[in-house]
Amino acid sequence: MSDAAAGAPRRGRPGYDQETVLRRAIELFNEQGYDGTSMGDLARELGFSKSAIYHHVPSKTHLLAQALDEALDGLTEVLDEASREVAGATAYDRLRRAVRLSVAVLVDHQPAVTLLLRVRGNSEVELAALRRRRDLDARFAGLVREAVEEGSLRSDVPPALVSRLLFGMVNSLVEWHRPGGAVDAEQLSDAITTLAFDGLVLRPPST
C-alpha cells in the first residue's frame, strides 16, 4: 500500500462523516488539550469502540493537521486577497481589509483558530504550523510596511510590532467571543478596524 493511500482519510460509517469526526476532535483538543486527548476519548464521544474510530481517521495526528490547516488556510487566503493589486486600492485599504477578513476567518473557524493559537511546537505537525504562522506574520508586517511607505500610517512604530498588535487584537476574540452571541462577525470587524485604525479619541470638529 502506498504512503498516500495509508494516510488518506477513510470514509466514515453512516451518520458520522469525516467533518463530524473532525469537529468533535477539535472540540476535545480544545477542552482537554491535544496531548491529553486520546483516540479512545474521541471514540467514546462518538459512541464507537476504540478500534472502530480507525474506520474514520487514520490517526490523532491526522486530525490535528487537518484542524491546523483549516485555520491557516483561511488566514492565507485573507493575505493572498489583501496582497493583490486592485485598481484604486491603496496599501492602507488592503491592510484594513486584511484585518476585517481576519476577523471573519476567526469567527467562521473559531475552534480551529483557538487550537492553532495553543500550539507550542511539540510535534512536527505543530512545528510546521508555527512556521506557517511566522510566514503569515511576516506577510502581514509587509502590508503594514507598504502602508507606512505610502504615507498612510505613522512611521515611528516598527511594522512588525504593529502587525503583532493587530493580530493580537484579532486573536483575543477566542478568549471571550461566543458563536451565536449578541455580537456578530460584521460588528466585530467594524469595531476592531475602527479601534485599530481610527482610535478612540473623539476629535473636536476643526474650526
Side-chain angles (χ1 to χ4, degrees), residues 113-172:
V113 174
T114 300
L115 183 60
L116 172 64
L117 296 177
R118 294 175 178 174
V119 160
R120 293 295 178 267
N122 296 328
S123 66
E124 182 52 45
V125 168
E126 294 186 19
L127 288 171
L130 290 176
R131 287 192 291 270
R132 288 187 67 185
R133 276 192 66 186
R134 286 193 292 270
D135 179 62
L136 292 173
D137 287 341
R139 292 182 62 188
F140 202 88
L143 288 177
V144 176
R145 189 174 300 107
E146 290 174 20
V148 170
E149 290 172 352
E150 74 176 12
S152 297
L153 294 181
R154 58 192 299 168
S155 59
D156 58 332
V157 182
L161 177 56
V162 173
S163 173
R164 286 180 178 273
L165 292 172
L166 288 173
F167 259 141
M169 187 183 299
V170 174
N171 292 340
S172 70

Side-chain angles (χ1 to χ4, degrees), residues 50-130:
K50 186 173 181 179
S51 60
I53 190 66
Y54 292 100
H55 289 281
H56 299 265
V57 289
S59 67
K60 187 173 76 162
T61 301
H62 176 82
L63 289 167
L64 177 64
Q66 282 189 309
L68 298 179
D69 281 346
E70 176 186 326
L72 289 162
D73 289 349
L75 293 170
T76 299
E77 289 176 12
V78 164
L79 287 171
D80 286 346
E81 180 172 338
S83 298
R84 296 190 189 102
E85 296 292 340
V86 178
T90 64
Y92 173 86
D93 293 332
R94 290 186 284 115
L95 175 62
R96 188 160 182 151
R97 179 161 175 74
V99 172
R100 287 189 63 88
L101 293 176
S102 295
V103 175
V105 167
L106 186 146
V107 173
D108 288 344
H109 304 278
Q110 186 166 333
V113 174
T114 300
L115 183 60
L116 172 64
L117 296 177
R118 294 175 178 174
V119 160
R120 293 295 178 267
N122 296 328
S123 66
E124 182 52 45
V125 168
E126 294 186 19
L127 288 171
L130 290 176

Side-chain angles (χ1 to χ4, degrees), residues 175-191:
E175 301 299 331
W176 60 268
H177 177 258
R178 295 296 175 263
V183 183
D184 62 23
E186 185 172 357
Q187 290 173 305
L188 285 172
S189 296
D190 287 342

Side-chain angles (χ1 to χ4, degrees), residues 22-41:
L22 178 61
R23 291 304 118 208
R24 191 63 191 114
I26 293 174
E27 290 175 6
L28 279 179
F29 294 161
N30 283 329
E31 290 169 5
Q32 302 179 180
Y34 172 73
D35 291 332
T37 302
S38 68
M39 289 291 277
D41 293 332

